[in-house]
Amino acid sequence: MFFFSLMQFTASKQPENCLLGPESDSQRTLYPYVTGTSVVALKYKDGILMAADMGGSYGSTLRYKSVERMKPIGKHSLLGASGEISDFQEILKYLDELILYDNMWDDGNSLGPKEVHNYLTRVMYNRRNKFNPLWNSLVLGGVKKGEKYLGTVSMIGVNFEDNHVATGFGNHLARPILRQEWHENLSFEDGVKLLEKCMRVLLYRDRSAINKLQIAKITEEGMTISPPYSLKTYWEFAAFENPTQGAVGSW
Amino acid sequence: MTKQQANWSPYDNNGGSCVAIAGADYCVIAADTRMSTGYNILTRDYSKICKLADKCVMASSGFQADVRALQKQLAARHLIYQHQHNKQMSCPAMAQLLSNTLYYKRFFPYYSFNVLGGLDNEGKGCVFTYDAVGSYEKVGYSSQGSGSTLIMPFLDNQLKSPSPLLLPAQDAVTPLVEAEAIDLVKTVFASASERDIYTVRRQTRTCYHKCSWYPPGIHGT
């Protein structure tokens, strides 16, 4: 059989025969700078519901508080992104061009969510192949000809579709809730309630989450995105009232 | 100035197991339906099986993005083949193509562990097993993926193939009937899922039969 080893990547001086290419190629993405946190989405009776907060963190600083991390794509799709905001903006530029060319054909056909998801997967995978990834986790949802579609792509190109998806912390905190409580043909109100339940848990437990979110809905008719609003939170749980009661000196 | 270390890996292991068993006039290919990353489940309903040609199906586990890219590559090459030769690729031909495609990326491999199954030109079942860089072998049965260390010994016990070193060459395909082979596959996944966290009982299973073939369906047990 064969021996497979992981490679070490460096940004400093390299020997010429290194796989990484010329040294002037130090423009690769190494870390994300301004990041958005989780996106959560689910299929409901009429289409897709997606939620994301409006925070753009610069490390541990909450730098931007009105970042729209969900955007409509063409007639049938909705894209939500977490991770590096500037890379998300670049993805929107790519998609702008994609949709433009699609419209220019003027043939009555339009790219559906499946096609857009496939395109994004290819883009993300190809950037990963060049060792210069777009540092995002994307959620792509939409409805075309009555068929609902919800998929996700990671920064290295891992993609799949499901009835509910989430990125980042949402995978750990929101998906278990969705696995328990999601069912086919959720009404709009139930879907929103379920999403809010997920977003509330994220708000309590994800330190990069902020209490200013939007919920977007996409159906056969089109896409609507709610104005920013905040969730009600409750901090008076008895167990947290005097947490060190039973263990003096603890914190 | 200390060397900068990468803080991301271009690879991930999305787990799962694949199995294929060849018989005299059939071939069973199966793969479980879980897709994971680390200790998390990404989705419970993902098919690792891809139909490459009329009589040739590939089951792959490993890094899903590479698997998907590999499937697309092979599908595209098969389309060109059909245009040029006016016929479908046979399973042994596809087997060679897969090997070449994997080796092409020998120095940045597809992290994909494949099992190819189908019927050869005489209608006999054939299974080909691969590593990530393209070394392959025609066998009577095989498993790949996270559960293969658990599955393979069990298949060896149940289906022990004659050694390929024997002369005259003996048939590697199992004498079992198709229904028995399917039962065996179900058992294999039931067992592997007990101890491998990345494998579940639920599987997608395809059976090729000499006369007709059953489209891939999700069969749970």
Side-chain angles (χ1 to χ4, degrees):
Chain A
M1 289 290 123
F2 81 108
F3 171 67
F4 175 65
S5 61
L6 278 171
M7 299 167 276
Q8 291 251 297
F9 317 108
T10 82
S12 51
K13 261 209 268 214
Q14 325 143 15
E16 262 316 306
N17 55 350
C18 177
L19 276 167
L20 282 179
E23 206 188 310
S24 58
D25 223 345
S26 56
Q27 308 259 356
R28 301 160 188 278
T29 302
L30 293 170
Y31 333 90
Y33 284 90
V34 180
T35 55
T37 183
S38 326
V39 177
V40 189
L42 48 79
K43 281 188 191 168
Y44 79 107
K45 188 159 57 85
D46 305 322
I48 311 291
L49 280 169
M50 195 184 296
D53 69 20
M54 302 193 74
S57 310
Y58 185 64
S60 49
T61 319
L62 214 213
R63 178 69 183 82
Y64 301 102
K65 297 196 272 191
S66 295
V67 181
E68 278 204 26
R69 297 195 289 115
M70 297 181 294
K71 293 284 184 187
I73 310 293
K75 282 204 288 254
H76 306 284
S77 316
L78 173 60
L79 174 66
S82 69
E84 172 64 57
I85 300 294
S86 63
D87 282 347
F88 176 50
Q89 289 168 344
E90 187 161 328
I91 288 168
L92 291 175
K93 263 178 71 188
Y94 284 144
L95 287 172
D96 249 351
E97 193 182 8
L98 181 76
I99 300 296
L100 177 71
Y101 275 86
D102 187 42
N103 289 337
M104 287 291 105
W105 285 107
D106 199 20
D107 56 1
N109 192 21
S110 50
L111 290 170
K114 228 183 230 208
E115 290 86 60
V116 178
H117 185 223
N118 188 59
Y119 174 80
L120 287 171
T121 305
R122 290 298 107 218
V123 168
M124 302 301 273
Y125 183 70
N126 273 283
R127 289 289 295 257
R128 163 261 186 201
N129 283 348
K130 297 195 274 202
F131 283 94
N132 187 18
L134 288 161
W135 208 290
N136 295 108
S137 291
L138 305 171
V139 173
L140 200 293
V143 196
K144 189 174 173 199
K145 298 218 176 82
E147 256 190 71
K148 302 186 281 256
Y149 185 87
L150 180 59
T152 181
V153 199
S154 80
M155 72 183 245
I156 48 174
V158 175
N159 71 300
F160 60 93
E161 46 163 323
D162 209 338
N163 294 317
H164 46 78
V165 295
T167 67
F169 260 98
N171 264 317
H172 295 98
L173 298 172
R175 290 226 44 221
I177 300 174
L178 291 164
R179 285 203 181 102
Q180 187 82 324
E181 301 189 20
W182 183 90
H183 56 85
E184 290 271 9
N185 294 318
L186 278 165
S187 70
F188 174 72
E189 292 76 25
D190 283 344
V192 172
K193 253 204 272 214
L194 189 49
L195 270 185
E196 284 186 344
K197 187 172 183 178
C198 296
M199 295 305 281
R200 188 171 290 109
V201 171
L202 287 166
L203 185 58
Y204 284 134
R205 290 294 179 176
D206 177 8
R207 75 156 189 184
S208 356
I210 62 166
N211 199 359
K212 182 178 175 194
L213 69 144
Q214 293 178 297
I215 295 197
K217 163 179 84 130
I218 185 157
T219 61
E220 193 75 58
E221 282 76 49
M223 181 256 198
T224 53
I225 181 162
S226 71
Y229 71 104
S230 53
L231 296 168
K232 281 201 184 52
T233 55
Y234 182 69
W235 301 94
E236 312 305 320
F237 286 107
F240 295 111
E241 275 289 290
N242 193 3
T244 62
Q245 205 168 354
V248 181
S250 157
W251 63 90
Chain B
M1 167 94 159
T2 45
K3 252 192 206 168
Q4 254 176 345
Q5 303 287 316
N7 26 41
W8 66 284
S9 167
Y11 290 110
D12 190 13
N13 189 353
N14 301 118
S17 309
C18 310
V19 168
I21 300 176
D25 62 350
Y26 68 88
C27 186
V28 186
I29 306 101
D32 77 316
T33 59
R34 173 178 284 181
M35 188 165 129
S36 25
T37 172
Y39 285 123
N40 297 319
I41 298 173
L42 289 173
T43 183
R44 301 183 195 280
D45 194 8
Y46 185 78
S47 172
K48 300 183 185 61
I49 296 193
C50 176
K51 185 174 168 222
L52 296 174
D54 241 8
K55 297 209 173 83
C56 184
V57 148
M58 176 173 78
S60 320
S61 86
F63 175 43
Q64 188 269 347
D66 272 348
V67 167
R68 185 48 64 83
L70 182 64
Q71 289 170 350
K72 279 174 174 263
Q73 256 288 63
L74 293 171
R77 290 297 300 276
H78 184 229
L79 191 59
I80 295 169
Y81 181 95
Q82 284 176 83
H83 287 145
Q84 292 175 340
H85 300 272
N86 197 25
K87 64 173 184 177
Q88 294 272 326
M89 268 177 95
S90 66
C91 197
M94 187 56 85
Q96 183 65 38
L97 178 63
L98 175 54
S99 171
N100 293 154
T101 307
L102 290 169
Y103 197 81
Y104 199 75
K105 291 240 303 158
R106 170 68 177 80
F107 300 107
F108 185 16
Y110 288 112
Y111 193 78
S112 166
F113 299 97
N114 313 295
V115 166
L116 203 70
L119 301 173
D120 64 17
N121 287 319
E122 290 130 35
K124 212 162 70 154
C126 58
V127 170
F128 297 89
T129 187
Y130 295 78
D131 72 355
V133 282
S135 22
Y136 80 112
E137 193 186 356
K138 180 168 191 281
V139 287
Y141 59 91
S142 181
S143 74
Q144 289 286 344
S146 57
S148 67
T149 47
L150 298 167
I151 295 172
M152 206 56 185
F154 180 59
L155 288 178
D156 284 334
N157 176 268
Q158 298 291 306
L159 299 170
K160 184 67 202 250
S161 267
S163 168
L165 302 168
L166 284 174
L167 279 174
Q170 285 185 33
D171 227 342
V173 298
T174 175
L176 286 182
V177 180
E178 188 180 342
E180 289 173 318
I182 291 174
D183 237 16
L184 183 59
V185 164
K186 288 185 190 175
T187 311
V188 144
F189 276 95
S191 308
S193 61
E194 293 288 334
R195 293 290 178 178
D196 177 25
I197 59 172
Y198 299 109
T199 303
V200 276
R201 268 184 98 159
R202 194 160 167 263
Q203 67 212 240
T204 359
R205 201 167 55 234
T206 305
C207 314
Y208 272 97
H209 202 87
K210 199 170 176 184
C211 317
S212 61
W213 64 275
Y214 307 98
I218 299 177
H219 303 273
T221 37

